[in-house]
Amino acid sequence: MGIEIFGLTYCEVFIMLKTKQNETINIHQEIPAIYIPGKRELPVVLMAHGIMGSKNEYLDTQARISEKLECYNMASLRIDFCGHGDSHRDLQDFSLFSQIQDLADSIQWLTDKKYSSVILLGISFGAPPAIIISSLHSQIVKKCVLIAPVTDYQKTFVFPMTSWGKENFGLNQILSGIRCAGIKLDEDYILSPRVLTDMLLVDIPTFIRNTCLNISIFHGDCDDMVPYSTSKAMCDLGKNISLYTMHNTEHGLTEVGDENFSSCISTRNLEKVIDEICQ
């Protein structure tokens, strides 16, 4: 049966899951994921990765979170979005809408597993679809936890405020990418015109302003990819939004210069996220 989102109908996409033991479970075939089961009476955490990321995320951030949650008997499902990680789908089909589709089908899969409550975890570019799907499924989504989130396409991409944003994006580059074949971030990674159109047109702050969703944001004050100020501005949109500032922290959860996820600050940031999820 199709599901309607924003006036568009899509059908179920298939899911291929790997368990923690790396056994391949061919439930269906289209969304690669790693599922760690937990107690059904506790919320299950569904994770959304960022640009150029995958189900484990940079420095295995999402895998680390899953392992910590397992200690609390909490289940987790982390997926590869269209064209990322082990996905066999074309990266040219990746968009905000495809992200929403993948998360919606993942929630349906978890519902079939008899989980009655879900927590969305969105990292970086995974934040917008996590926010939107949380509102679409507000009856079962308990809250939304965001790490270094893109909460403003305009200030992150169209009129970028960070060095990374200015180097790779900007209004003229986005318009050129829409006219041509996208924007190349890496030899094998090109953001398609449809993603660039999302950046140009979608107003995430206005969407957030009109939702009562409980949102917890973790953002490093030394993030050189996604502006910390955009997360700070989100807190002015409603009392349902809270911000935890991670000092001397770059994009993600790690301390500046920590390439091994081993410093005290990095470890503390991870523990703070786990505490928030488990509350």
Side-chain angles (χ1 to χ4, degrees):
M1 180 180 294
I3 300 176
E4 186 172 308
I5 296 179
F6 302 149
L8 300 174
T9 302
Y10 68 93
C11 296
E12 178 186 18
V13 287
F14 298 144
I15 298 179
M16 176 183 72
L17 291 167
K18 287 186 177 180
T19 67
K20 184 186 174 187
Q21 293 75 27
N22 290 324
E23 300 170 4
T24 300
I25 305 173
N26 291 304
I27 305 294
H28 292 119
Q29 61 183 8
E30 290 295 333
I31 306 176
I34 294 179
Y35 165 64
I36 297 179
K39 289 186 176 180
R40 297 300 194 275
E41 59 268 27
L42 296 176
V44 54
V45 180
L46 173 58
M47 304 185 190
H49 66 75
I51 282 179
M52 300 179 73
S54 67
K55 54 186 171 291
N56 287 336
E57 254 299 346
Y58 178 64
L59 294 180
D60 291 333
T61 298
Q62 291 190 160
R64 294 173 191 273
I65 292 172
S66 288
E67 290 173 3
K68 292 284 186 180
L69 293 174
E70 189 178 15
C71 297
Y72 293 90
N73 295 312
M74 290 187 71
S76 63
L77 178 65
R78 48 190 205 270
I79 68 171
D80 283 331
F81 282 128
C82 174
H84 292 72
D86 294 323
S87 172
H88 297 302
R89 289 178 288 165
D90 195 328
L91 183 58
Q92 291 298 299
D93 294 327
F94 175 68
S95 67
L96 176 59
F97 186 66
S98 77
Q99 289 176 292
I100 293 170
Q101 286 180 318
D102 289 346
L103 291 176
D105 285 301
S106 298
I107 286 180
Q108 181 60 58
W109 188 88
L110 290 169
T111 301
D112 292 343
K113 284 282 187 182
K114 307 304 180 185
Y115 289 101
S116 59
S117 179
V118 177
I119 293 174
L120 263 292
L121 176 75
I123 295 182
S124 191
F125 204 68
I131 293 167
I132 293 171
I133 204 69
S134 295
S135 297
L136 287 169
H137 290 271
S138 58
Q139 72 279 10
I140 63 169
V141 174
K142 180 181 178 183
K143 60 182 170 182
C144 191
V145 178
L146 307 176
I147 298 172
V150 173
T151 54
D152 193 321
Y153 285 145
Q154 294 284 309
K155 293 179 180 178
T156 305
F157 301 109
V158 184
F159 304 104
M161 301 174 66
T162 65
S163 56
W164 176 81
K166 292 174 182 177
E167 179 183 352
N168 293 287
F169 298 96
L171 178 59
N172 290 334
Q173 284 178 272
I174 288 176
L175 290 175
S176 177
I178 293 173
R179 284 194 299 268
C180 302
I183 290 180
K184 180 184 287 189
L185 295 182
D186 192 56
E187 192 60 36
D188 300 317
Y189 194 93
I190 300 175
L191 287 174
S192 72
R194 64 180 64 189
V195 180
L196 302 179
T197 302
D198 291 336
M199 295 175 178
L200 193 62
L201 299 178
V202 177
D203 185 349
I204 298 297
T206 296
F207 184 89
I208 293 175
R209 187 180 295 112
N210 289 281
T211 180
C212 58
L213 175 69
N214 289 321
I215 300 175
S216 300
I217 299 175
F218 292 80
H219 208 145
D221 58 7
C222 294
D223 192 335
D224 64 351
M225 296 182 72
V226 177
Y228 164 75
S229 60
T230 57
S231 287
K232 201 169 181 181
M234 287 300 103
C235 293
D236 296 330
L237 299 181
K239 295 181 179 180
N240 54 312
I241 304 170
S242 60
L243 170 65
Y244 177 77
T245 300
M246 299 182 292
H247 298 292
N248 200 37
T249 299
E250 54 192 10
H251 190 62
L253 292 177
T254 52
E255 182 181 13
V256 174
D258 179 12
E259 296 299 323
N260 300 308
F261 215 118
S262 58
S263 78
C264 292
I265 287 178
S266 303
T267 302
R268 184 168 68 246
N269 290 339
L270 175 61
E271 293 296 341
K272 288 286 186 180
V273 170
I274 298 301
D275 289 345
E276 177 60 30
I277 291 173
C278 294
Q279 279 185 3

